[in-house]
């Protein structure tokens, strides 16, 4: 049975005594409150399990057949759906033990029989007000937590952007400076190797000409020639020059790669060959790919497809390549046969760049937090926890692409960079 008023919150009265129910119902409805009645504890619990609005307050008699008031209250407070509803017990005026037990079970108050109308209304209204204020406070807390989370996320995002700009600017300046310093002396060496070849050849030709026309030199010259082993020195000198030529070529390639890697064309996108950026990154990381201690050299498989030039910010993309490939190297450090596979292809006017490793992989918790700023699985001092967070911003916000990953613990990881061609 229910009697409704204009108040949206109603009161559930639970009592098996018709007289008590009638008196309480009249007091509350005369006071402008809505009520609903249950004649025992079991009926009340079944009513509360139904879908629909929950009461704002429950008035519960202690002594009832079947499930008494104490057990009913105990079940209410152990049910996540109803634990928050305030309960007021009905007790006899002199029943102090019931009052104490009811309060210990979670009841907020009690009213005594026979009922005093004004007292009942006052106690009920104050607890309804407290309940409403509690709900409002919870709503405010949720709104505050949401706003705080939004502000925290925005602040972290701004901090990551600032760190990214500062880090990229500092790294670009450093790399560009090193490339410039290398470029001058290596240019000098490389440009002088060809003339050196000519001079050495001329000198050896002159010596051979002397040997042809003066086959029997004086004793002192003959001793010097035998000690020097002029024939071996002549052959080895050209080998040394070849080695110097090859080494200078490698240093020149490194210098070019450094300049390409540090390109900071961040104000305007330009068309670039992404394979050059990948190769430049691998060249810079080559020292980490070599065998180290008991770990063998890391095998890098390149499966490049045919790609057009892509309009992008090359310096920023190279930073992403550096972060992703360096992480792959970290992941295979303890693998017996470490391997990294880098592949590229075009799918539906998009470039797909995949960096896969056969390393340690990630568990569910790591994958859930992977792109969070400052999260890192590396030892203290080795990782900042910003690399992948920055990389995602570069790919998604700067290039309108996607940075995805797939990993299985102890089976390896795969990172996928998707970039629109235009």
């Amino acid at each position: 049975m229910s009697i409704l008023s204009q108040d949206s919150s109603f009161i559930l009265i639970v009592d098996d005594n018709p007289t008590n129910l009638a008196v309480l119902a009249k007091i509350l409805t005369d006071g402008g409150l809505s009520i609903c009645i249950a004649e025992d504890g079991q009926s009340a619990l079944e009513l509360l399990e139904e879908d629909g609005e929950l009461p704002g307050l429950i008035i519960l008699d202690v002594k009832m057949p079947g499930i008494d008031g104490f057990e009913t209250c105990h079940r209410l407070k152990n049910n996540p759906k109803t634990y928050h509803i305030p309960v007021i017990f009905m007790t006899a005026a002199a029943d102090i033990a019931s009052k104490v037990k009811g309060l210990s079970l979670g009841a907020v108050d009690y009213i005594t029989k026979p009922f005093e109308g004004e007292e009942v209304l006052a106690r009920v209204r104050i607890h309804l007000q407290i309940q409403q204020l509690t709900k409002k406070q919870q709503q405010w807390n949720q709104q505050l937590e949401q706003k705080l989370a939004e502000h925290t996320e925005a602040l972290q995002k701004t901090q990551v952007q600032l760190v990214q700009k500062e880090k990229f600017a500092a790294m670009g300046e450093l790399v560009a400076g090193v490339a410039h310093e290398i470029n001058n002396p290596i240019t000098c060496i490389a440009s002088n190797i060809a003339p050196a070849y000519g001079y050495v050849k001329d000198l050896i030709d002159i010596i051979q000409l002397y040997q042809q026309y003066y086959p029997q030199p004086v004793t002192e010259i003959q001793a010097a020639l035998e000690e020097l082993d002029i024939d071996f020195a002549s052959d080895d000198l050209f080998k040394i020059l070849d080695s110097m030529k090859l080494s200078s070529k490698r240093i020149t390639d490194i210098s070019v790669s450094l300049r390409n890697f540090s390109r900071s064309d961040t104000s305007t996108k330009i068309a670039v060959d992404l394979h050059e950026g990948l190769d430049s990154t691998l060249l810079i990381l080559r020292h980490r790919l070599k065998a180290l201690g008991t770990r063998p050299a890391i095998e890098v498989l390149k499966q490049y497809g045919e790609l057009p030039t892509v309009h992008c910010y090359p310096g920023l993309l190279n930073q992403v390549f550096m972060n992703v490939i360096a992480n792959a190297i970290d992941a295979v450090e303890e693998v017996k046969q470490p391997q990294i596979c880098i592949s590229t292809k075009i799918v539906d006017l998009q470039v797909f760049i995949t960096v896969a490793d056969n390393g340690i992989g990630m568990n569910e918790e790591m994958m859930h937090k992977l792109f969070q700023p400052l999260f890192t699985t590396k030892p203290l001092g080795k990782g900042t926890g910003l690399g992948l967070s920055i990389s995602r911003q570069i790919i998604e916000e700067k290039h309108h692409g996607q940075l995805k990953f797939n990993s299985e613990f102890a089976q390896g990881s795969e990172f996928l960079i998707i970039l629109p061609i235009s």
Side-chain angles (χ1 to χ4, degrees):
M1 176 182 108
S2 66
I3 303 174
L4 302 177
S5 76
Q6 295 179 351
D7 196 317
S8 60
S9 181
F10 67 93
I11 299 165
L12 174 62
I13 306 173
V14 187
D15 196 342
D16 66 317
N17 189 312
T19 303
N20 289 341
L21 289 174
V23 173
L24 270 180
K26 187 173 189 322
I27 293 172
L28 296 174
T29 53
D30 286 349
L33 300 171
S34 303
I35 66 167
C36 184
I37 291 174
E39 296 180 350
D40 54 52
Q42 185 64 42
S43 299
L45 293 172
E46 292 174 357
L47 178 66
L48 293 171
E49 284 299 325
E50 296 177 359
D51 293 333
E53 183 184 359
L54 293 173
L57 184 143
I58 298 173
I59 299 178
L60 185 60
D61 189 29
V62 172
K63 296 179 180 179
M64 293 184 295
I67 302 175
D68 65 10
F70 295 136
E71 178 61 23
T72 303
C73 183
H74 175 73
R75 296 190 187 185
L76 289 172
K77 294 304 174 182
N78 282 278
N79 186 340
K81 184 179 179 181
T82 58
Y83 79 94
H84 64 283
I85 303 175
V87 174
I88 295 178
F89 270 114
M90 291 183 279
T91 64
D95 192 357
I96 302 298
S98 293
K99 295 176 185 178
V100 173
K101 184 173 182 179
L103 293 172
S104 68
L105 287 170
V108 296
D109 206 347
Y110 56 87
I111 54 177
T112 56
K113 307 171 187 176
F115 303 120
E116 291 289 339
E118 292 183 0
E119 179 187 359
V120 171
L121 281 175
R123 289 178 182 271
V124 167
R125 282 175 174 157
I126 190 64
H127 288 295
L128 284 175
Q129 290 175 358
I130 292 172
Q131 179 73 348
Q132 291 173 353
L133 289 173
T134 301
K135 288 182 178 179
K136 287 183 179 179
Q137 183 65 49
Q138 290 173 345
Q139 292 174 352
W140 292 338
N141 289 342
Q142 290 175 353
Q143 293 173 356
L144 183 61
E145 288 176 1
Q146 183 178 357
K147 289 182 179 179
L148 181 61
E150 291 173 355
H151 287 307
T152 301
E153 184 179 356
L155 178 60
Q156 286 183 335
K157 191 173 182 180
T158 302
Q159 288 175 330
V160 169
Q161 289 174 340
L162 291 174
V163 170
Q164 177 228 320
K165 289 179 180 178
E166 182 178 349
K167 179 180 178 181
F168 179 68
M171 183 173 64
E173 185 178 347
L174 174 63
V175 172
V178 171
H180 177 73
E181 291 300 321
I182 291 175
N183 190 58
N184 288 336
I186 199 59
T187 299
C188 176
I189 294 171
S191 61
N192 283 319
I193 287 178
Y197 263 107
Y199 296 150
V200 169
K201 186 177 183 306
D202 290 343
L203 289 173
I204 291 176
D205 287 344
I206 291 294
I207 293 174
Q208 290 176 345
L209 193 61
Y210 266 100
Q211 288 178 324
Q212 180 181 349
Y213 287 98
Y214 298 97
Q216 297 298 327
V218 297
T219 304
E220 186 177 355
I221 294 177
Q222 182 64 34
L225 289 173
E226 290 175 357
E227 183 179 356
L228 179 61
D229 193 353
I230 190 66
D231 292 333
F232 172 80
S234 300
D235 292 338
D236 198 46
L237 186 53
F238 282 108
K239 292 179 182 178
I240 292 173
L241 288 173
D242 287 338
S243 177
M244 291 173 62
K245 182 178 180 181
L246 179 61
S247 297
S248 65
K249 174 67 168 56
R250 288 183 61 186
I251 296 174
T252 301
D253 290 342
I254 293 172
S255 178
V256 171
S257 295
L258 289 173
R259 290 200 301 273
N260 288 337
F261 183 85
S262 65
R263 295 170 73 174
S264 55
D265 316 272
T266 55
S267 59
T268 306
K269 291 182 179 179
I270 62 172
V272 298
D273 181 352
L274 296 181
H275 291 156
E276 288 185 358
L278 289 167
D279 290 339
S280 296
T281 305
L282 287 171
L283 189 60
I284 292 170
L285 291 172
R286 184 160 58 184
H287 68 286
R288 295 198 57 197
L289 300 172
K290 296 178 180 179
L292 180 64
T294 57
R295 191 213 72 192
I298 299 172
E299 182 183 12
V300 176
L301 303 177
K302 294 196 291 186
Q303 299 173 351
Y304 290 173
E306 293 292 331
L307 297 185
T309 56
V310 176
H311 281 78
C312 63
Y313 302 103
L316 293 177
L317 269 189
N318 289 339
Q319 188 179 352
V320 175
F321 297 157
M322 175 68 76
N323 286 331
V324 173
I325 296 175
N327 283 345
I329 294 174
D330 290 335
V332 299
E333 288 286 355
E334 299 178 5
V335 177
K336 291 183 178 180
Q337 295 180 327
Q339 187 180 86
I340 297 173
C341 180
I342 303 173
S343 62
T344 62
K345 62 181 179 181
I346 297 177
V347 179
D348 296 332
L349 298 180
Q350 292 179 311
V351 173
F352 281 54
I353 304 168
T354 304
V355 179
D357 65 70
N358 63 341
I360 57 176
M362 292 177 280
N363 57 33
E364 289 293 333
E365 182 182 1
M366 292 166 62
M367 288 190 285
H368 181 68
K369 298 180 179 179
L370 191 62
F371 290 113
Q372 292 182 5
L374 305 179
F375 173 75
T376 180
T377 59
K378 299 175 183 177
L380 183 65
K382 189 173 182 181
T384 63
L386 292 173
L388 288 177
S389 177
I390 290 172
S391 296
R392 171 175 263 186
Q393 285 190 12
I394 291 173
I395 296 299
E396 296 185 355
E397 297 181 14
K398 288 286 188 181
H399 295 88
H400 307 291
Q402 298 177 64
L403 177 58
K404 300 180 178 181
F405 72 94
N406 182 41
S407 183
E408 186 174 346
F409 189 70
Q411 297 297 320
S413 302
E414 178 180 274
F415 281 81
L416 174 62
I417 301 168
I418 303 175
L419 296 170
I421 292 178
S422 61

